[in-house]
Amino acid sequence: MNTSLTAATATTPSRFGYATHLSCRECGHTCPIGSGHACAECFGPLEVAYDLPALTRESIESGPLSMWRYASLLPVPQDVASTPNLDPGWTRLVRADLLASTLGMRELWIKDERGNPTHSFKDRVVGVALAAAIELGFKVLACPSTGNLANAVAAAAARAGIRAVVLIPADLEIQKVIGSAVYGCSLVAVRGSYDDVNRLASELADEREDWAFVNVNVRPYYAEGSKTLGFEIAEQLGWRVPEQVVVPIASGAQLVKVDKGFAELTSLGLVDEQPWRVFGAQATGCSPVSAAFAAGHDVVRPVRPDTIAKSLAIGNPADGPYALDVARRTGGAIADVGDAEIVEAIRLLAQTEGIFGETAGGVTLAVLRKLLAEGRLDPEAETVIINSGDGLKTLDAVAGAVTVPAPIRPTLEAFQEAVS
Ligand SMILES: *Cc1c(COP(=O)(O)O)cnc(C)c1O
Ligand SMILES: [Zn+2]
């Protein structure tokens, strides 16, 4: 065969970029790009598969200052950056020297996801889900959410000019409730846990054919958005994969896709081949994946969540088994921390680096501390932790741990009495 002809006709992007099909993560059965999310053979979860083009660092570096610089590695139209969207991503990677020295570490970085349009990493997954949902012909963007996803869906749908329907547990933080309602979405507060809300959303997804539930019936596309966290971390380190990364776990998708992002950059030759270890972080009050890791189990036994880290409160995590696999395969670990340690870590991050993270960020930093203390994480190795959301959305969690002063009279004497 004429090889130059083969090369010329190899990969031309479709409306789904270089994605070629969906593939079952359990049995490998394949099906065409479409709105399926479960394998017809075994009901296993489907994942997007690609025929990736050759890429250079320069071609990525000259792209937009958003996650769309990696459009060719995502299942989206290649002109996605020019469609009405929120341009998520390209958040700061902060070198945390003061925090590192407090913890006795050599080199620590924080990927600060507060810089996203609705202040959490969820804007990334929604960006990909929205683009794919439009290509697939859906008319409504919907989701079950622990809060941040609802904010991201409501905002992205508003900008795209389509209807949003978001379902949340009724006991969410008020900042996340108002932070969805303000975008003019249909907001439904459900009396029950996130897992109850998720079940209801799955029933609705079967019934409403033109509703894209971003994390249910378009989940294969949605999940791919988290790869961009891995891409950005490596690019911002100067095209290098860190030796250790600590990632919070709710469904487990973010952790699995950070690993996949590192793997794709490595296989494309965009970073040198170097091992990395992936660590997962949960709150003790919702730690089904951490418990399975500790017990050496491959399956995750569902729990009923009870923690201040509501954004991570998924008792039956869809990607739990895959997160276990990533942590074990890379030589990492998964651990959990109690609510008091979470609050303490939120304050430590704020007071050493000026970053007010949400409860999920507190979980991640507290797990880093715990793993260091237990000698399971190397203080000499280059480490990145993810602060996935904004502390202004979870004020109640720290309200009791900081001192809010009583007002004083506007006089020097009153000031000197109040401040030593
Ligand atoms: C949703 C969420 C996570 C976890 O995401 P998964 O991909 O479901 O594991 C982490 N942090 C914050 C702030 C979130 O909102
Ligand atoms: Zn299958």
Side-chain angles (χ1 to χ4, degrees), residues 120-122 146 148-149 219 222 226 248-255 311-312 314 358 360 388-389:
S120 88
F121 97 100
K122 289 296 198 308
T146 59
N148 284 316
L149 183 59
R219 190 172 178 86
Y222 161 96
S226 284
I249 296 176
S251 72
Q254 181 184 161
L255 181 145
S311 58
L312 302 183
I314 298 184
E358 79 144 74
S388 48

Side-chain angles (χ1 to χ4, degrees), residues 357-401:
E358 79 144 74
T359 43
V363 168
T364 306
L365 176 53
V367 163
L368 169 73
R369 281 177 107 171
K370 180 172 184 172
L371 292 171
L372 279 168
E374 292 175 354
R376 293 200 280 168
L377 200 135
D378 179 2
E380 293 300 317
E382 180 177 58
T383 304
V384 175
I385 64 175
I386 294 172
N387 173 49
S388 48
D390 195 321
L392 292 177
K393 290 194 198 179
T394 58
L395 283 176
D396 280 354
V398 287

Side-chain angles (χ1 to χ4, degrees), residues 24 27 39 42:
C24 174
C27 76
C39 174
C42 77

Side-chain angles (χ1 to χ4, degrees), residues 96-176:
D97 285 339
L98 197 50
L99 179 57
S101 70
T102 308
L103 298 174
M105 299 183 75
R106 190 178 57 80
E107 191 178 341
L108 178 61
W109 299 81
I110 298 162
K111 183 61 170 163
D112 189 7
E113 288 291 282
R114 294 177 309 159
N116 280 303
T118 69
H119 313 283
S120 88
F121 97 100
K122 289 296 198 308
D123 293 309
R124 298 177 185 272
V125 282
V126 170
V128 177
L130 172 62
I134 289 172
E135 294 307 318
L136 292 166
F138 287 103
K139 299 287 181 271
V140 173
L141 205 62
C143 67
S145 170
T146 59
N148 284 316
L149 183 59
N151 295 175
V153 163
R159 171 122 173 94
I162 68 175
R163 182 178 173 208
V165 180
V166 305
L167 287 80
I168 54 172
D171 72 344
L172 272 195
E173 297 96 342
I174 189 68
Q175 293 90 345
K176 288 177 184 165

